[in-house]
Amino acid sequence: MNSTLLLNLQNCTIRFGGLTAVSELNFQIHENELVGLIGPNGAGKTTVFNLITGVYQPTSGRIEFDGKSISNLRPYQITAHGIARTFQNIRLFPSLTVFDNVRVAFHLHLLSGVNHAWWRGASFAKEEQDISDKVIELLRLFNLEQHRNTHSKNLPYGDQRRLEIVRALATRPKILLLDEPAAGMNPTEKIELMNLIQFVKDKFNISVLLVEHDMQVVMGICERIVVLDYGLKIAEGAPEQIRSNPKVIEAYLGE
Amino acid sequence: MLHRPKTLLCFSLALAFGVSLLAPQLNPYHLDVLLTIGINIVLAVSLNLVNGYTGQFSLGHAGFMAVGAYASAAFTLFAAPRWFPDANFLVTSACFFVALLLGGLASAGAGVIVGAPSLRLKGDYLAIVTLGFGEIIRVIFRNVDALGGALGLNGIPFHTNFFWVSFWGLITIYMVLALVNSSFGRGFLAVRDDEIAAEAMGINTTQYKIIAFVVSAFFAGIAGGLYAHLKSSIDPKGFDFMRSIEIVVMVILGGMANTRGVIMAAVILTLLPEILCPIAEYRMVIYSLLLIILMLTRPQGLFSFRIRPHPSHSA
Ligand SMILES: Nc1ncnc2c1ncn2[C@@H]1O[C@H](COP(=O)(O)OP(=O)(O)OP(=O)(O)O)[C@@H](O)[C@H]1O
Ligand SMILES: [Mg+2]
């Protein structure tokens, strides 16, 4: 791997009371890489996402992004650095329309603030139009445009998952963290989604960290896989190495 | 309408002026009720920015109203006569405008002081902190002799008229709607719907809450100033916990985050006690009963015809 280092977790540990959810974790993600993060239920995958995005602070260890420490930043600041995510249990803005869900995610790139909203001058009108165009463009790319005025809570389940990805992309990330984006989908939908992820990665030139339980899917799409079990990294490598790794087989058989 | 704020401002001024020409036709009692309705609209619409659009439960609106009332009344009583001893109509009006602005700014300042530390806390804490703030403010005003202590301030000139009330009412409605109906302002709704997701989208939730809180406090202060110059005397008891509750009820009954509904609720809930006046003994009982029935039958608000959002789950 000789491309630029983007995300670097160094000896990250987090404890909840007596439980060590993630222990001495080290791994890196490079530019335009698609990395899988797998492990049995409760292994600590979502906790890793919460650490990277600042929802939790590590008990010890350090997280660097683009060469800068992000360990003590608040989630919105980390998003501003270029890390976006989706959630395992969907967290759209339920009472906002599909359009507004994405519009809100353009927040970081907004020049207008309170006074512009009140004064409503020419620059405000232009920016609102620009954002509206960009939202529509993104929605069109993901075939969600016909739902633009639907409240997101009324969207079909699969579309909600895709909308979460669109919304994350609107923040213009360098790296996208996807927490079980294919959960609850049937095999056809899963394949479509994986194609979509590949497409997004290439089109926006971003890295992806993917948590997914379906081995077929993960092995098929990821260039590299990190395996967690009880908060410990038990393996890391290319899909074929992971498939035959005895520790991984044991962790999954012992489930 | 929202796209032409300057036109709207001129229109508001003209409308407010036009309506105020009709005021002399009314008998004083009706005029008083109408002005009270206007003041309550300012209060309810501004509180709706915090409790409705931003989803934070503030119980201290009467406290901010008190700050505005005392600040503006103090200016009118103590500062204005000294600086402009023999003022004509224009100077008096300008002084009143400045007094109201001062009241609003003082209240917004109080909003920063209360909001900055407490808005980092989640949910119920804010309700408790704002409730405490409302009570503390009353205690402070009761103990400051320069501001009349428990007796309050009396003899405040009767400056609040139809013009000023409709002017500030329209401004408040515009400010809240213009804010919320912008890309920036959609962030308030995002914070309400799901704070964790909002942060993940790059939204500084604390900053949004403070903005909502301060804007809301500013207009509560304006309303306080209008109230002081309408009633001509104010005392700490007039801004008690029940006053805050009344405003919260207007917001809930109007349907949170529904400005039109909140305006209608402010009108109805101001009129209701007046209509029930002849049966004074049972007034509060009937008022409370009506509220309970309305809450049970239309929990989403009297004038809200959308379905309420689901409460979000934890992380
Ligand atoms: N806020 C918290 N407080 C206490 N314990 C927590 C907290 N968050 C996670 N945990 C615990 O940390 C461990 C790892 O949880 P995590 O959600 O990261 O697992 P996961 O790998 O995402 O599992 P799944 O595949 O079921 O999503 C679990 O034992 C969980 O109970
Ligand atoms: Mg998980």
Side-chain angles (χ1 to χ4, degrees):
Chain A
M1 206 61 54
N2 43 21
S3 66
T4 328
L5 178 63
L6 210 53
L7 182 69
N8 189 2
L9 274 78
Q10 297 165 320
N11 299 316
C12 284
T13 299
I14 182 167
R15 288 192 200 91
F16 297 113
L19 176 89
T20 307
V22 173
S23 174
E24 296 288 316
L25 181 65
N26 286 288
F27 77 87
Q28 286 79 36
I29 295 176
H30 302 82
E31 257 176 22
N32 203 229
E33 221 186 351
L34 209 168
V35 180
L37 180 64
I38 65 170
N41 286 111
K45 305 178 294 293
T46 300
T47 305
V48 170
F49 273 31
N50 285 335
L51 281 175
I52 297 174
T53 55
V55 175
Y56 299 146
Q57 310 285 323
T59 312
S60 65
R62 187 180 158 85
I63 304 173
E64 278 180 8
F65 185 73
D66 246 355
K68 290 180 286 273
S69 168
I70 56 165
S71 318
N72 293 312
L73 298 182
R74 284 191 42 196
Y76 77 91
Q77 295 169 314
I78 292 175
T79 310
H81 274 75
I83 301 179
R85 72 177 290 183
T86 65
F87 294 89
Q88 185 170 351
N89 15 346
I90 301 171
R91 279 177 168 271
L92 291 165
F93 304 117
S95 68
L96 296 193
T97 61
V98 167
F99 179 85
D100 275 345
N101 264 273
V102 182
R103 177 150 80 125
V104 159
F106 273 103
H107 175 81
L108 285 168
H109 310 284
L110 213 58
L111 300 173
S112 311
V114 180
N115 46 342
H116 301 87
W118 281 335
W119 188 247
R120 304 216 158 209
S123 69
F124 172 83
K126 184 175 176 305
E127 183 169 44
E128 293 290 282
Q129 187 59 49
D130 278 356
I131 287 178
S132 170
D133 292 346
K134 282 176 190 152
V135 172
I136 297 297
E137 192 186 316
L138 263 182
L139 288 177
R140 210 169 269 159
L141 201 59
F142 292 85
N143 276 324
L144 285 166
E145 201 216 346
Q146 71 275 23
H147 296 302
R148 56 180 287 188
N149 293 322
T150 312
H151 288 268
S152 71
K153 62 171 176 267
N154 298 329
L155 220 49
Y157 180 79
D159 285 342
Q160 291 197 11
R161 287 243 173 248
R162 288 191 305 130
L163 179 58
E164 264 213 324
I165 298 177
V166 179
R167 193 180 63 165
L169 285 172
T171 67
R172 299 196 195 138
K174 292 180 191 146
I175 177 166
L176 181 60
L177 315 179
L178 302 174
D179 200 349
E180 304 198 22
M185 290 187 174
N186 66 37
T188 334
E189 286 173 326
K190 275 189 187 175
I191 291 169
E192 274 173 22
L193 183 74
M194 292 307 141
N195 289 336
L196 185 81
I197 291 171
Q198 196 80 55
F199 164 78
V200 162
K201 177 192 165 235
D202 296 335
K203 162 120 185 148
F204 295 90
N205 189 30
I206 56 177
S207 315
V208 177
L209 179 62
L210 173 70
V211 169
E212 177 51 51
H213 273 297
D214 190 322
M215 283 304 146
Q216 209 98 35
V217 165
V218 177
M219 298 284 173
I221 179 175
C222 294
E223 296 151 28
R224 190 155 58 87
I225 295 172
V226 174
V227 191
L228 287 184
D229 192 22
Y230 291 111
L232 282 167
K233 182 167 89 174
I234 56 167
E236 176 172 0
E240 50 278 12
Q241 295 170 308
I242 296 297
R243 211 190 310 260
S244 55
N245 186 313
K247 275 190 184 165
V248 177
I249 295 169
E250 193 193 333
Y252 272 89
L253 288 180
E255 203 179 351
Chain B
M1 209 46 158
L2 282 178
H3 300 289
R4 299 172 174 277
K6 290 132 230 167
T7 322
L8 187 78
L9 187 70
C10 297
F11 176 77
S12 306
L13 278 167
L15 186 73
F17 185 71
V19 180
S20 66
L21 292 179
L22 301 173
Q25 321 286 330
L26 292 166
N27 80 39
Y29 167 71
H30 289 160
L31 184 63
D32 186 81
V33 171
L34 273 176
L35 294 179
T36 309
I37 287 178
I39 291 170
N40 282 340
I41 289 176
V42 174
L43 287 167
V45 169
S46 59
L47 184 67
N48 190 31
L49 180 61
V50 173
N51 290 33
Y53 289 109
T54 319
Q56 308 301 307
F57 203 80
S58 166
L59 269 176
H61 224 44
F64 293 115
M65 194 186 167
V67 173
Y70 271 90
S72 61
F75 179 83
T76 307
L77 285 175
F78 308 132
R82 189 167 311 161
W83 296 340
F84 307 102
D86 35 26
N88 58 21
F89 172 75
L90 267 181
V91 174
T92 317
S93 302
C95 281
F96 181 47
F97 183 74
V98 171
L100 287 179
L101 273 187
L102 268 179
L105 290 175
S107 177
V112 175
I113 294 166
V114 180
S118 56
L119 286 166
R120 289 169 203 283
L121 306 170
K122 299 240 149 57
D124 310 339
Y125 290 106
L126 183 69
I128 294 166
V129 171
T130 48
L131 179 83
F133 159 74
E135 293 304 297
I136 290 169
I137 279 293
R138 277 181 50 220
V139 173
I140 292 176
F141 284 135
R142 197 164 47 215
N143 288 297
V144 175
D145 289 333
L147 293 174
L151 293 175
L153 293 172
N154 299 296
I156 307 162
F158 183 86
H159 287 331
T160 298
N161 55 24
F162 226 98
F163 173 77
W164 288 114
V165 169
S166 28
F167 172 76
W168 282 108
L170 290 165
I171 293 284
T172 311
I173 295 167
Y174 170 76
M175 293 295 227
V176 169
L177 286 181
L179 195 54
V180 168
N181 289 298
S182 67
S183 289
F184 178 86
R186 289 282 120 171
F188 293 106
L189 307 181
V191 170
R192 173 197 67 192
D193 270 13
D194 192 324
E195 274 190 44
I196 291 180
E199 285 262 337
M201 292 308 116
I203 287 177
N204 182 347
T205 53
T206 309
Q207 186 198 6
Y208 265 90
K209 289 187 219 167
I210 290 178
I211 291 174
F213 208 65
V214 170
V215 171
S216 170
F218 175 82
F219 286 108
I222 296 283
L226 290 169
Y227 176 83
H229 294 81
L230 172 66
K231 299 296 173 191
S232 96
S233 77
I234 50 173
D235 64 72
K237 281 201 299 294
F239 306 100
D240 63 354
F241 175 59
M242 277 311 294
R243 193 85 191 84
S244 292
I245 295 282
E246 270 174 41
I247 309 165
V248 169
V249 168
M250 286 171 192
V251 172
I252 295 177
L253 210 62
M256 308 261 238
N258 173 353
T259 296
R260 207 179 317 162
V262 167
I263 294 170
M264 287 197 265
V267 174
I268 290 175
L269 288 182
T270 316
L271 285 177
L272 201 57
E274 303 298 333
I275 294 166
L276 295 175
C277 217
I279 39 172
E281 309 93 278
Y282 304 111
R283 189 162 88 164
M284 281 325 283
V285 179
I286 295 176
Y287 180 79
S288 315
L289 267 179
L290 272 174
L291 281 186
I292 294 172
I293 293 168
L294 287 171
M295 292 289 179
L296 289 176
T297 51
R298 288 199 67 80
Q300 74 275 45
L302 203 50
F303 308 102
S304 185
F305 301 101
R306 286 179 306 161
I307 306 146
R308 297 301 311 145
H310 304 297
S312 53
H313 309 281
S314 60

